[in-house]
Amino acid sequence: MHIWAHRGCSQMYPENTLTAFKKAAEIDGLTGIELDIQLTKDGHLVVFHDEAIDRTTDGCGELRQYTLSELKELRIDAGNGKPEKIPAMEEVFDLLQGKMKQGLKMNIELKNSVFPYEGMEQKIIDMVHQYDLQNNVIYSSFSALSLERIRQLDSEAEIGILDTKASDCLYKLKGGCGADALHPFWKGMDLPKEKLCGYPVRAWLTGHLYPERPTGTKLDLTFLEKQGITDVFLNEPEKYL
Ligand code: G3P
Ligand code: CA
């Protein structure tokens, strides 16, 4: 089973922050880091999950209404008196490029199913190529249309289609979105392994994000593997490696 850090080490540290990514990159045996990207009002790629900034920062409203410098004024409470900032995508590549050159992968989820963020596909592909990290990146989205654009822009890109159920991922993939892997919710394995057509299946989990207390419970990864899951995105990868 390949283990990924979902939004970084997002149980112990605030999700999608440089600290959460730095801690994840220190874990031996980690396959990669998953993160979410959106576009600012002035067209910069930033790493952030929700369309609204309210849940994890001291600001309010939609992220897309803010410029990068306005977003940089916001604080993400890290519980230690040293608030984190919303990272620009370049900062994350600057932090992780060394580890990525050594084999660490990155799953970049384009958060564009609520707001389409026109041009985001081209911007992220250009940046990945500028850093020469195209062999270490997997793009994903719930939007099949966006993935189709990625495929048109970069015929070599590795792409995963997101949905809740494995069957919906598969049908979107077969519909021609250009994906070469399924990214379902871990409880959405509604097809037998033989029907997954041999695609990599990278399953994601939700819940228990910082600052919730760790639960102490662990998933039975063997059980997931038997269902055809090849990779898992975990908030607490450190518990499994
Ligand atoms: O990429 C897998 C997973 O992160 C999708 O759900 O809501 O955690 O971004 P979410
Ligand atoms: Ca995500």
Side-chain angles (χ1 to χ4, degrees), residues 86-150:
I86 296 176
M89 191 65 225
E90 290 99 326
E91 293 176 89
V92 180
F93 281 135
D94 288 342
L95 175 73
L96 297 177
Q97 61 179 331
K99 281 278 182 182
M100 291 178 74
K101 294 280 186 202
Q102 292 166 29
L104 184 74
K105 291 197 175 282
M106 181 186 286
N107 177 192
I108 300 175
E109 181 187 346
L110 287 81
K111 270 283 170 229
N112 52 3
S113 43
V114 176
F115 305 120
Y117 291 124
E118 199 180 323
M120 185 157 69
E121 295 88 356
Q122 185 73 66
K123 280 179 197 271
I124 187 61
I125 287 171
D126 288 349
M127 196 179 287
V128 166
H129 281 260
Q130 266 164 29
Y131 279 86
D132 194 22
L133 291 171
Q134 56 277 9
N135 295 325
N136 308 80
V137 163
I138 298 168
Y139 302 95
S140 65
S141 175
F142 284 89
S143 165
L145 200 58
S146 173
L147 296 184
E148 188 181 23
R149 260 181 230 126
I150 296 260

